[in-house]
């Protein structure tokens, strides 16, 4: 007796550009063959960004995820042909440095390449001239050469994948303009067009700069800003006469002037990011036929603005003297998409189940994104970490149209800028501030930014303390940016006295209801079935056992829990799975938190409350609802810095009073306010992980060193089955603590780690450990014995480091439990 196979999901993809065609190919390859791709323009060149894209694929990025997308794009397109023509021309890539700062940045970029597995090397001026004979040698200090980069023939690649998907059952329908999204009971049910309605179980918006328009139809925000970008072609150059191929020299980037170059047979194509941002209203972009009727080649091709081009043309001629004898033959302003943080927007909407986004994706990353989204749809998760791209990552305030416009425009400006990993955005600021902001300003806080929050990095008021800590190693110019020796003084004071830390940006969720305990038990790895007053460190896993997040859960009552989470995606994940008898709300916006940490923390807090804050009366990982002075607080005895102390939570209206109460009482104890620079140093000395940086859903708990938070004897939690058998196994890779051998050396994160001279992994977090007198770096590496020597690549130098035991500081936890 045979069973009837389950019906294949009906998928409608909106947009037949490179992303939509790639996604159709990836879905049908995985057996989802009922795929309809709708396109408003004519195929195979429907008029979106794909139709005009110059096709440059530089794989190396500070983002490991973007690099993985680009690597797969190169691999896939290199395997595709149309009429005997390859869909990828692997001419290589060359980035030039004309300033010492850019040359140093190229060394840093070569480190990224080694970290993420891309072939690349720093090359001499002479080698740059060999690779690109047209450049003025005297203007160039060196370059970064990546032989596997090149030119994607985007329209050919789209066509090749369209043909493969069609053979498997997909259909591509052009001249179908989407006019609506049908839905019922919170799920998508179909797509309405001017030529009929298409039922669907899943709808994917791969509409590019039209993404916000499609999202609006579905009731889903798409934080994407289209901008116009100048591209021009020269007249034929005598130096390129007789060129047999479309391009033979590497694609060229002149980032010091925001320019890139590629060959078009006997011409040179030039793209510029040097001009003012030219935002485009996605709701005002003309359909294909209307654009043609208005003398536009396609909807994504706007008239060339000569006034914006003139300065760039001068820069082009200085770098490439051969251009002095020619002119621009044609140019246009091509529209493509930017987001507030420069990353794609991917994933399924919680508000409308079955509605997916694959937006703000450039040709460079197209096939990799399509593979990841197809895996996510078919298998329930992608094979690589996507938290940087998850549509749920944005805070509500980061979704406002004005924010998306302002930050998207700034992302355009910064495309080729040298950006420090700690560099905060400049505008709009300040946006989100804690109730302590006025006091922090009075203390000379130096703020960085994250999630829209103003976050003190250190306080100038603590500058007099620097003299008491002794000499510190001198820093190079790069590692000295967004750093101050005051951070060392703040760390020392935390270890010796007591400090106040603004922990307000930590996400706080309230989980209540009769099913709250059962729900959290099912969603997390540790045992939460404890008496009220217990605090538990636990993990959110996906079904494959990957670490989606880590949480701190305080049971405040039998059916009430305060959950300390990481990103908006944690709230989204829990809301997706919550049953009707569980209520989840975000407390972050209306509350605040002060971390009171240091050996004198009890001396400071105890006189302010009638409750017993002794070790016996208020043990480690316990919670109490009490009063500090006049202020009602939820006190959690936790320490992310490895010292005695509490996290004190109260409502935002009482936050300033809480700060002032603690500050006044702490005066006799030498209390200071301390910033995140000291905080990061202290937490790394204790080996405390930062989710999203040190571990993601690509890692299981045992590899990440948080297996202690897993209770395999607990009844059924998400990911439990995938972890079966892993407890007894030695992980093949580990998040590994390293101490740099040289007390004066510093690294910052994402640098390659070499074992026996070969790249073997990469640094996640790093900071100078002021209590240890060494820089601490955590890195993903093959399992290595303690004492093993390794090297960390830092701006072309190889810095020696040693695998160490953790925790590096106070291994017996005596300072916390006293």
């Amino acid at each position: 007796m045979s069973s009837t196979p389950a019906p294949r999901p009906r998928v409608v993809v909106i947009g037949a550009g490179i992303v939509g065609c790639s996604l159709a190919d990836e879905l049908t390859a995985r057996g989802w063959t009922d795929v309809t791709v709708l396109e408003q323009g004519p195929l195979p060149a429907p008029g979106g960004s794909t139709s005009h894209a110059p096709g440059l694929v530089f794989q190396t990025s500070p983002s490991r995820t973007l690099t993985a997308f680009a690597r797969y794009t190169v691999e896939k397109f290199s395997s595709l042909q149309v009429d005997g023509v390859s869909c990828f021309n692997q001419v290589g890539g060359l980035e030039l440095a004309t300033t010492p700062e850019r040359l140093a940045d190229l060394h840093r970029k070569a480190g990224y390449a080694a970290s993420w597995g891309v072939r690349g090397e720093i090359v001499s001026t002479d080698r740059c001239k060999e690779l690109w004979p047209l450049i003025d040698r005297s203007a160039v200090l060196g370059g970064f050469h990546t032989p596997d980069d090149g030119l994607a023939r985007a329209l050919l690649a789209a066509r090749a994948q369209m043909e493969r998907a069609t053979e498997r059952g997909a259909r591509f329908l052009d001249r179908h303009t989407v006019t609506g999204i049908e839905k019922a009971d919170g799920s998508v049910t179909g797509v309405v067009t001017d030529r009929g309605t298409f039922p669907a179980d899943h709808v994917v918006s791969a509409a590019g700069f039209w993404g916000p328009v499609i999202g609006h139809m579905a009731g889903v925000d798409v934080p994407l800003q289209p901008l116009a970008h100048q591209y021009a072609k020269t007249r034929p150059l005598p130096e390129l006469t007789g060129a047999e191929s479309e391009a033979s020299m590497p694609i060229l980037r002149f980032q010091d002037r925001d320019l890139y170059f590629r060959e078009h047979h006997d011409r040179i194509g030039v793209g510029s990011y040097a001009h003012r941002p030219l935002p485009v209203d996605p709701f005002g972009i003309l359909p294909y036929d209307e654009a043609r009727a208005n003398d536009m080649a396609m909807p994504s091709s706007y008239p060339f603005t000569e006034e914006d081009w003139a300065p760039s043309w001068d820069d082009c001629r200085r770098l490439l003297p051969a251009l002095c004898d020619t002119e621009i033959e044609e140019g246009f302003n091509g529209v493509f998409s930017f987001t507030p943080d420069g990353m794609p927007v991917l994933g399924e909407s919680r508000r409308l189940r079955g509605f997916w986004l694959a937006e703000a994706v450039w040709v460079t990353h197209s096939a990799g994104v399509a593979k990841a989204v197809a895996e996510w749809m078919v298998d329930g998760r992608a094979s690589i970490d996507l938290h940087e791209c998850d549509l749920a990552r944005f805070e509500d305030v980061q979704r406002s149209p004005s924010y998306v416009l302002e930050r998207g425009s700034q992302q355009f400006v910064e495309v080729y800028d040298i950006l420090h990993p700690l560099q905060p955005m400049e505008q709009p600021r300040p946006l989100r501030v804690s109730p302590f902001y006025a006091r922090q300003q009075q203390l000379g806080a130096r703020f960085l930014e994250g999630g829209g929050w103003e976050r003190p990095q250190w306080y100038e008021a603590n500058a007099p303390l620097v003299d008491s800590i002794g000499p510190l190693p001198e820093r190079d110019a790069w590692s000295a940016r967004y750093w101050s020796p005051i951070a060392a003084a703040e760390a020392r004071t935390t270890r010796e006295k007591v400090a106040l830390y603004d922990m307000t940006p930590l996400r706080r969720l309230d989980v209540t209801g009769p099913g709250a305990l059962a729900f959290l038990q099912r969603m997390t790895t540790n045992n939460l079935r404890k008496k009220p007053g217990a605090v538990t460190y636990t993990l959110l896993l996906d079904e494959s056992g990957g670490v989606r997040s880590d949480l701190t859960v305080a049971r405040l009552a039998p059916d009430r829990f305060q959950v300390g989470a990481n990103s908006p995606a944690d709230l989204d994940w829990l809301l997706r799975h919550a049953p009707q008898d569980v209520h989840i709300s975000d407390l972050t916006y209306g509350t605040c938190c002060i971390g009171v940490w240091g050996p004198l923390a009890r001396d400071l807090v105890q006189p302010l409350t009638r409750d017993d804050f002794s070790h016996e009366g208020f043990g480690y990982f316990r919670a109490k609802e009490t009063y500090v002075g006049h202020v009602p607080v939820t006190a959690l005895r936790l320490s992310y810095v490895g010292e005695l102390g509490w996290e004190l939570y109260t409502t935002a209206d009482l936050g300033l009073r809480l700060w002032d109460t603690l500050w006044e009482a702490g005066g006799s104890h030498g209390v200071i306010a301390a910033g995140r620079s000291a905080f990061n140093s202290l937490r790394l000395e204790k080996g405390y992980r930062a989710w999203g940086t040190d571990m993601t859903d690509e890692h299981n708990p045992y590899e990440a060193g948080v297996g202690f938070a897993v209770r395999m004897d607990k009844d059924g939690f998400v990911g439990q089955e995938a972890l079966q058998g892993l407890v007894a196994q030695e992980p093949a890779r580990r998040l590994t603590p390293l101490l740099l051998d040289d007390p004066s050396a510093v690294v910052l994160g994402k640098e390659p780690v070499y074992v026996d001279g070969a790249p073997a992994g990469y640094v996640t977090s790093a900071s100078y450990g002021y209590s240890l007198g060494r820089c601490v770096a955590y890195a993903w590496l093959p399992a290595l014995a303690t004492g093993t020597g390794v090297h960390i690549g830092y701006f072309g130098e190889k810095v020696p480091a040693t695998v160490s035991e953790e925790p590096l500081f106070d291994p017996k936890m005596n300072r916390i439990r006293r």
Side-chain angles (χ1 to χ4, degrees):
M1 186 173 176
S2 61
S3 60
T4 304
R8 293 185 176 91
R10 298 168 299 177
V11 181
V12 174
V13 178
I14 300 172
I18 190 62
V19 178
C21 291
S22 297
L23 181 58
D25 183 45
E26 296 287 341
L27 285 171
T28 55
R30 287 165 174 77
W32 281 25
T33 54
D34 191 349
V35 175
T36 301
V37 182
L38 302 174
E39 174 52 59
Q40 58 90 30
L43 291 174
S49 298
T50 302
S51 301
H52 68 67
L56 283 71
V57 178
F58 284 93
Q59 297 173 85
T60 307
S61 162
S63 166
R64 180 170 172 266
T65 298
L66 287 186
T67 301
F69 288 159
R71 287 181 62 189
Y72 183 75
T73 299
V74 168
E75 175 188 329
K76 184 175 186 180
F77 289 2
S78 296
S79 71
L80 298 175
Q81 289 189 349
V82 174
D83 298 331
V85 178
S86 173
C87 294
F88 191 75
N89 185 3
Q90 203 158 48
V91 292
L94 179 63
E95 302 181 44
L96 298 178
T98 59
T99 65
E101 293 79 12
R102 181 65 66 180
L103 185 59
D105 188 61
L106 293 185
H107 278 283
R108 186 168 62 104
K109 185 165 285 186
Y112 292 146
S115 291
W116 315 145
V118 175
R119 287 202 305 155
E121 63 174 342
I122 300 296
V123 294
S124 67
T125 302
D126 287 341
R127 180 61 175 149
C128 292
K129 180 71 173 178
E130 289 176 14
L131 292 166
W132 249 84
L134 299 185
I135 66 171
D136 177 4
R137 185 190 181 285
S138 67
V140 177
L141 301 180
F144 176 49
H145 181 224
T146 45
D148 299 328
D149 291 341
L151 293 164
R153 297 184 173 104
L155 287 177
L156 282 187
R159 181 178 153 194
Q161 293 175 102
M162 191 186 311
E163 291 173 354
R164 298 204 314 184
T166 301
E167 290 174 358
R168 302 187 191 110
R171 56 178 176 165
F172 291 76
L173 304 177
D174 63 1
R175 299 293 189 174
H176 281 65
T177 299
V178 174
T179 59
I181 304 295
E182 291 191 332
K183 44 197 136 174
D185 300 323
S187 296
V188 71
T189 60
V191 177
V192 182
T193 76
D194 58 351
R195 297 175 66 178
T197 298
F198 297 83
D201 303 302
H202 298 272
V203 172
V204 185
S205 178
F209 50 69
W210 278 293
V213 179
I214 302 301
H216 181 73
M217 295 178 191
V220 175
D221 288 335
V222 181
L224 173 164
Q225 177 60 53
L227 287 109
H229 160 61
Q230 289 199 306
Y231 192 79
K233 294 180 183 178
T234 68
R235 297 183 185 279
L237 297 180
E239 292 84 353
L240 300 180
T241 300
E244 296 181 0
S245 62
E246 177 192 16
S248 59
M249 294 185 292
I251 48 177
L252 184 70
R253 287 208 270 195
F254 180 23
Q255 292 160 300
D256 289 321
R257 289 294 182 269
D258 296 307
L259 295 166
Y260 63 82
F261 304 85
R262 57 153 295 181
E263 297 166 89
H264 292 278
H265 296 286
D266 58 356
R267 293 164 170 79
I268 298 293
V270 186
S272 171
Y273 294 99
H275 56 83
R276 62 195 165 95
L278 299 169
V280 175
D281 179 4
F283 292 87
I285 297 175
L286 297 176
Y288 186 90
D289 290 326
E290 287 186 38
R292 299 281 288 181
N294 282 271
D295 296 324
M296 294 168 60
M298 59 187 80
S300 61
S301 178
Y302 279 53
F304 194 62
T305 49
E306 295 282 356
E307 65 275 16
D308 292 308
W309 178 254
S312 291
W313 187 231
D314 290 340
D315 290 330
C316 292
R317 288 171 156 176
R318 277 192 286 269
L319 180 70
L320 305 176
L323 300 184
C324 293
D325 298 324
T326 189
E327 299 293 337
I328 295 300
E329 186 171 66
E330 58 179 305
F332 66 96
N333 291 0
V335 182
F336 62 141
S337 304
F338 288 81
T339 59
D341 59 5
M343 298 295 288
V345 181
L346 313 178
E348 182 187 21
S349 169
R350 176 176 52 82
R351 300 183 185 278
L352 182 59
R353 294 185 300 275
F355 183 79
W356 294 76
L357 297 180
E359 297 291 11
V361 182
W362 296 4
V363 171
T364 301
H365 310 114
S366 54
V369 163
K371 177 188 177 187
V373 173
E375 291 173 335
W376 202 347
M377 295 175 71
V378 175
D379 304 325
R381 72 181 301 272
S383 57
I384 64 170
D385 166 48
L386 296 180
H387 83 273
E388 293 178 308
C389 310
D390 193 327
L391 66 90
R393 72 188 183 271
F394 293 108
E395 303 282 352
D396 289 344
V397 71
Q398 294 174 311
R399 295 176 176 275
S400 73
S402 58
Y403 186 94
V404 174
L405 170 61
E406 189 165 358
R407 289 305 306 154
S409 298
Q410 188 61 26
Q411 287 295 329
F412 177 93
V413 171
E414 294 174 351
V415 163
Y416 282 168
D417 285 0
I418 298 173
L419 299 177
H420 193 277
L422 293 177
Q423 185 168 330
M425 68 181 191
E426 295 179 1
Q427 296 295 335
R429 291 180 63 193
L431 189 60
R432 306 173 80 184
V433 298
S434 77
F436 327 127
Y437 184 64
R439 299 293 184 264
Q440 292 166 342
Q441 288 180 304
Q442 292 167 2
L443 293 170
R446 293 296 181 262
F447 293 97
L448 299 187
E449 182 273 343
W453 288 102
E454 294 297 316
R455 300 184 176 193
Q457 193 75 350
W458 68 84
Y459 294 84
E460 289 294 331
N462 296 324
L465 300 175
V466 173
D467 292 339
S468 66
I469 62 174
L472 292 170
E474 287 192 16
R475 291 200 171 205
D476 63 273
W478 186 252
S479 64
R481 292 183 67 183
Y482 308 106
W483 174 85
S484 168
I486 294 172
E490 293 176 357
R492 172 75 65 85
T493 302
T494 307
R495 292 277 188 238
E496 295 179 351
K497 294 182 181 180
V498 61
L500 305 184
Y501 288 82
D502 181 1
M503 305 304 291
T504 300
L506 291 180
R507 185 163 302 277
R508 295 171 289 288
L509 309 178
D510 189 47
V511 181
T512 60
L517 174 61
F519 168 65
L520 289 173
Q521 282 283 81
R522 178 171 60 87
M523 295 302 297
T524 72
T525 59
N526 214 332
N527 182 23
L528 306 180
R529 197 176 297 280
K530 302 172 183 176
K531 293 180 180 180
V535 181
T536 307
Y537 177 80
T538 188
L539 308 174
L540 287 179
L541 305 183
D542 61 22
E543 293 289 353
S544 71
V547 181
R548 279 193 58 92
S549 189
D550 60 344
L551 309 176
T552 302
V553 181
R555 191 175 192 185
L556 303 179
D559 59 356
R560 178 174 160 233
F561 297 81
Q562 179 175 305
V563 177
N566 286 297
S567 78
D570 293 346
L571 174 61
D572 184 84
W573 177 257
L574 292 172
L575 286 172
R576 287 175 186 270
H577 293 86
Q580 291 186 346
D581 62 350
V582 173
H583 178 72
I584 305 173
S585 58
D586 192 336
L587 302 175
T588 313
Y589 312 110
T591 57
C592 58
C593 177
I594 300 175
V596 185
W597 291 313
L600 302 183
R602 183 176 289 116
D603 297 336
L604 192 164
V605 177
Q606 182 62 83
L608 301 174
T609 179
R610 293 182 178 182
D611 278 298
D612 184 0
F613 269 55
S614 69
H615 182 63
E616 295 73 22
F618 196 157
Y620 190 54
F621 266 77
R622 299 293 298 171
K624 283 186 181 183
E625 293 183 286
T626 183
Y627 288 86
V628 171
H630 297 287
V631 180
V633 301
T634 299
L636 274 56
R637 189 171 168 196
L638 304 175
S639 176
Y640 205 52
V641 299
E643 294 294 334
L644 171 68
W646 291 266
E647 293 176 359
L648 301 178
Y649 296 89
T650 192
T651 52
D653 60 323
L654 291 168
L656 190 58
R657 183 60 179 264
L658 177 61
W659 179 280
D660 289 345
T661 299
L662 294 167
W663 189 260
E664 182 178 349
S668 60
H669 303 293
V671 72
I672 65 165
R676 293 188 66 84
S677 185
F679 176 86
N680 199 45
S681 170
L682 297 169
R683 71 102 179 165
L684 280 172
E685 289 182 334
K686 288 297 295 179
Y688 295 147
R689 276 60 169 153
W691 184 85
T693 301
D694 297 318
M695 58 187 181
T696 69
D697 62 6
E698 287 190 26
H699 312 111
N700 72 52
Y702 307 109
E703 297 171 322
V706 289
F708 62 87
V710 178
R711 296 291 178 266
M712 289 299 291
D713 56 352
K714 189 176 79 164
D715 290 339
F717 60 84
V718 174
Q720 185 175 28
E721 185 176 343
L723 298 185
Q724 295 290 347
L726 292 181
V727 182
Q729 294 180 13
E730 281 293 317
R733 62 175 179 175
R734 286 197 182 100
L735 185 61
T736 304
L738 304 174
L739 271 179
L740 274 63
D741 296 349
D742 182 351
S744 65
V746 174
V747 297
L748 300 180
K750 299 188 178 181
E751 295 91 354
V753 181
Y754 296 85
V755 178
D756 295 330
Y762 58 92
V763 174
T764 57
S765 295
S767 181
Y768 200 86
Y770 302 108
S771 309
L772 304 170
R774 294 284 194 282
C775 183
V776 180
Y778 271 76
W780 279 103
L781 290 169
L784 298 172
T786 300
T788 301
V790 300
H791 288 84
I792 301 174
Y794 184 71
F795 286 94
E797 302 294 326
K798 290 188 177 178
V799 181
T802 302
V803 175
S804 302
E805 287 283 352
E806 61 175 342
L808 300 164
F809 181 81
D810 187 26
K812 295 184 178 180
M813 307 287 281
N814 293 327
R815 300 175 70 92
I816 294 177
R817 295 190 174 100
R818 60 179 172 184

